[in-house]
């Protein structure tokens, strides 16, 4: 099997050619997952493990239902082929669901409406029919994990050193001193502070602060950054990453 992540995975290790214009890039998740691939066909399993690893996840394969029942507790997510050589996949799914809440995506060649209903009733969180696209699989993994691990609401008060940003009352303080900022200046600084180790692109700033994904940022962002640096008394609080955007620093 061609091991590119845009291949379509078919029943029992077969694959159909990917349609280049149909597949878009998939961005890695922010959090690496421990994925248990329960798949008896070696080539299909290898391709899945490789693709998941390339997206930053820790993937391991087992080829039987019995082995899956032994090791599934250590996984964050299970990709379960329902057609295994020893145990019926639906029964494995029921057993896993009876003992833990680990999300399960059923991956199978069983494609009737009844098959889907039975898979979901057995406890699967999602159901994919072979052949399928790897990009779709990654999107479904992300959707399932959003449901089982909803993002925590951002902290109302963000602190970094002497800098404090209170989203509830929209107030900035530096070493206890209140910093008077415009609405856009506050939103810009709050966005940077909410992702302190991340470089925020100019386009993302325009989209999230100015609600404008089409206009060029021009001098708009630079003007607001310059004003904030002046009010905070140091250019070190907002670091410019040339050609990309900005990140929060520390004075």
């Amino acid at each position: 099997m061609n091991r590119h992540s845009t291949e379509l995975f078919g029943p029992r290790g077969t694959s159909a050619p990917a349609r280049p214009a149909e597949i878009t890039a998939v961005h890695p998740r922010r959090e690496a997952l421990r994925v248990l691939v329960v798949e008896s066909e070696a080539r299909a399993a290898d391709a899945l493990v490789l693709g998941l690893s390339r997206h930053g996840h820790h993937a391991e394969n087992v080829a039987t239902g019995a082995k899956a029942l032994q090791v599934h507790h250590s996984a964050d997510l299970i990709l379960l082929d329902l057609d295994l050589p020893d145990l019926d996949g639906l029964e494995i799914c029921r057993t896993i669901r009876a003992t833990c809440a680990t999300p399960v995506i059923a991956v199978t060649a069983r494609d009737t409406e009844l098959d889907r209903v039975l898979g979901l009733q057995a406890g699967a969180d999602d159901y994919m029919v072979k052949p399928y696209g790897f990009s779709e699989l990654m999107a479904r993994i992300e959707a399932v994990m959003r449901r089982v691990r909803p993002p925590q609401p951002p902290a109302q008060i963000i602190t970094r050193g002497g800098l404090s940003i209170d989203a509830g009352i929209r107030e900035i303080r530096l070493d206890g001193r209140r910093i008077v900022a415009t609405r856009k200046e506050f939103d810009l600084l709050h966005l940077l502070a909410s992702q302190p180790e991340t470089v925020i692109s100019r386009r993302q700033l325009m989209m999230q602060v100015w609600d404008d994904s089409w206009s060029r940022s021009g001098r708009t962002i630079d003007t607001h950054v310059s004003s904030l640096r002046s009010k905070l008394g140091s250019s070190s609080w907002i670091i410019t990453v040339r050609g990309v955007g900005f990140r929060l620093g520390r004075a």
Side-chain angles (χ1 to χ4, degrees):
M1 176 181 289
N2 189 316
R3 297 189 299 179
H4 292 296
S5 64
T6 53
E7 283 288 320
L8 298 182
F9 296 90
R12 315 318 309 160
T14 62
S15 64
R19 296 184 286 271
E22 182 182 60
I23 304 298
T24 57
V26 177
H27 298 286
R29 281 180 53 83
R30 291 168 298 188
E31 178 187 0
L33 299 173
R34 294 168 299 175
V35 183
L36 178 63
V37 176
V38 187
E39 168 63 68
S40 61
E41 208 288 317
R43 296 177 68 189
D46 289 346
L48 273 175
V49 169
L50 178 62
L52 290 164
S53 299
R54 285 177 170 172
H55 282 72
H57 301 303
H58 307 294
E60 125 180 51
N61 168 241
V62 295
T64 66
K67 186 64 176 177
L69 293 177
Q70 291 176 10
V71 302
H72 73 86
H73 288 285
S74 63
D76 297 314
L77 173 77
I78 300 167
L79 299 180
L80 175 63
D81 187 350
L82 298 184
D83 299 299
L84 296 169
D86 58 339
L87 300 173
D88 180 69
L90 293 177
E91 190 57 40
I92 297 169
C93 192
R94 291 189 192 98
T95 303
I96 291 173
R97 186 56 63 238
T99 58
C100 69
T102 304
V104 176
I105 299 180
V107 180
T108 178
R110 305 178 190 180
D111 62 352
T112 69
E113 181 181 4
L114 177 59
D115 288 324
R116 291 184 175 89
V117 170
L118 291 175
L120 296 171
Q121 287 180 341
D125 295 271
D126 203 348
Y127 191 101
M128 292 194 69
V129 176
K130 298 178 180 180
Y132 59 87
F134 192 79
S135 293
E136 180 185 357
L137 173 64
M138 293 304 301
R140 287 178 180 267
I141 288 175
E142 291 188 7
V144 166
M145 297 310 297
R146 281 197 301 270
R147 292 198 297 269
V148 301
R149 293 182 180 176
Q152 296 297 316
Q156 283 289 93
I157 301 178
I158 300 172
T159 59
R160 186 171 179 87
L163 182 66
S164 173
I165 304 170
D166 189 329
I169 59 176
R170 296 182 66 83
E171 182 179 83
I172 301 170
R173 287 188 176 272
L174 181 60
D175 297 326
R177 175 175 57 91
R178 184 170 180 268
I179 305 295
V180 179
T182 67
R183 181 168 64 88
K184 295 299 186 186
E185 287 171 352
F186 180 91
D187 291 343
L188 190 156
L189 186 61
H190 183 264
L191 177 57
L192 294 176
S194 65
Q195 303 178 55
E197 307 304 325
T198 303
V199 178
I200 308 296
S201 70
R202 288 176 173 269
R203 181 175 181 182
Q204 186 177 348
L205 287 169
M206 288 299 295
M207 289 176 61
Q208 294 189 237
V209 177
W210 280 269
D211 195 25
D212 185 348
S213 60
W214 300 102
S215 301
R216 292 189 175 185
S217 62
R219 297 293 299 174
T220 301
I221 295 176
D222 295 311
T223 299
H224 283 76
V225 167
S226 177
S227 177
L228 275 170
R229 285 170 170 165
S230 177
K231 292 178 179 181
L232 294 171
S234 172
S235 61
S236 299
W237 279 114
I238 302 177
I239 306 299
T240 300
V241 180
R242 294 193 180 279
V244 184
F246 302 88
R247 66 173 176 85
L248 189 69
R250 188 187 294 269

